[in-house]
Amino acid sequence: MKKIVFATNNKHKLEEAQQILGNEFKILSLADINCHEELPETSDTLEGNAYQKAEYVWSHYFRDEKIPVFADDTGLEVEALGGEPGVLSARYAAIDGDPQQSHDSEANMKKLLRKLDGEDNRTARFRTVISLVIDASDTTTEIPLYMEKRWEFEGIVNGQIIRERRGTTGFGYDPIFQPDGYEQTFAELGADIKNQISHRARAMQKLAEFLKDKNL
Ligand code: IMP
């Protein structure tokens, strides 16, 4: 079985990834590789953050092993707000607000609904970027040449921000996001449907196709 590292400890993400990548791959979490530190995530783009995390794990843990590493980052991009909250989605309410409200979904949704008050354009999308880093080092030379190859995979789901929360499943902004083609929010659709059509699933499917195509 081929090994691949997913730079996360989020159980749901790990299960979803395993389902999509299939039995050919053994997915290792951060805990599995004994990485217990906070990964850097200081970029102002999803692409930057995903790469920062994958690159950090590759360079600190796998320089001498050819185990591919990938990491993801997701944002909710609202058209009328110029793409906000985007890369700030997790800590939206904490910006210019109470730092305690970082990762507070209720506070994040409240802020977003307030910002969209009176706004008719409710178009939004979830966007996930996965960054894959693979070792391409040449250690046959006298001074080892450490190199990496990197790829990016994007998954998007378009939809609308509704005016009031609906539904109880899922997490984050799920109760106020209604994907195009559905009458229900992500929080009403439930995990089975959401996991088939979600931004993250779409990015993950692209990663899976790539790994199979390249026989990695
Ligand atoms: P992460 O990069 O997966 O940690 O996502 C960053 C933030 O985006 C989360 O803290 C949530 O607020 C939001 N988010 C990501 N994915 C979803 C989703 O599937 N539903 C609702 N909110 C999400």
Side-chain angles (χ1 to χ4, degrees), residues 10 41 55 90 92 127 144 148 166-167 196 206 209:
N10 181 309
E41 213 173 341
E55 200 277 336
Y92 196 36
R127 193 164 74 89
E148 55 166 58
R166 286 202 325 252
Q196 284 171 38
K206 287 188 187 168
E209 274 161 34

Side-chain angles (χ1 to χ4, degrees), residues 18 38 65 81 85 110 119 147 158 168-169 172 183-184 203:
Q18 189 69 66
E38 186 100 3
E65 274 184 81
L81 301 177
K110 198 169 162 191
E119 174 61 63
M147 283 181 298
N158 293 304
T168 51
T169 65
E183 295 296 317
Q184 300 101 322

Side-chain angles (χ1 to χ4, degrees), residues 66-77:
K66 306 249 175 233
I67 300 181
V69 179
F70 69 94
D72 71 332
D73 203 29
T74 295
L76 174 63
E77 299 176 337

Side-chain angles (χ1 to χ4, degrees), residues 26-201:
K26 177 165 174 51
I27 298 179
L28 305 175
S29 67
L30 290 173
D32 290 331
I33 61 165
N34 271 325
C35 170
H36 301 291
E37 52 196 313
E38 186 100 3
L39 300 183
E41 213 173 341
T42 54
S43 170
D44 57 6
T45 62
L46 300 175
E47 286 78 3
N49 276 342
Y51 173 64
Q52 223 179 2
K53 291 186 278 187
E55 200 277 336
Y56 184 88
V57 172
W58 170 73
S59 62
H60 287 74
Y61 292 82
F62 291 109
R63 277 202 161 188
D64 298 316
E65 274 184 81
K66 306 249 175 233
I67 300 181
V69 179
F70 69 94
D72 71 332
D73 203 29
T74 295
L76 174 63
E77 299 176 337
V78 179
E79 195 173 88
L81 301 177
E84 256 187 46
V87 72
L88 305 172
S89 293
R91 48 205 150 100
Y92 196 36
I95 300 152
D96 308 325
D98 178 358
Q100 299 282 350
Q101 288 183 325
S102 187
H103 291 85
D104 180 338
S105 298
E106 268 309 311
N108 286 340
M109 283 191 287
K110 198 169 162 191
K111 175 169 179 179
L112 186 60
L113 289 175
R114 187 165 34 80
K115 283 220 163 194
L116 286 178
D117 203 16
E119 174 61 63
D120 288 331
N121 178 6
R122 317 290 294 190
T123 300
R125 64 181 193 175
F126 274 113
R127 193 164 74 89
T128 294
V129 175
I130 289 178
S131 175
L132 172 71
V133 171
I134 296 183
D135 188 282
S137 303
D138 184 356
T139 47
T140 59
T141 51
E142 201 172 325
I143 300 166
L145 206 57
Y146 289 111
M147 283 181 298
E148 55 166 58
K149 280 189 180 169
R150 58 187 274 198
W151 290 270
E152 241 167 44
F153 308 92
E154 187 185 57
I156 290 175
V157 60
N158 293 304
Q160 298 286 315
I161 302 297
I162 60 163
R163 289 172 199 274
E164 275 160 23
R165 299 163 181 69
R166 286 202 325 252
T168 51
T169 65
F171 70 101
Y173 299 87
D174 279 351
I176 57 170
F177 183 81
Q178 184 168 303
D180 286 351
Y182 292 84
E183 295 296 317
Q184 300 101 322
T185 64
F186 263 169
E188 291 175 308
L189 284 170
D192 282 353
I193 295 178
K194 184 185 164 192
N195 289 345
Q196 284 171 38
I197 63 167
S198 84
H199 41 296
R200 205 169 7 261

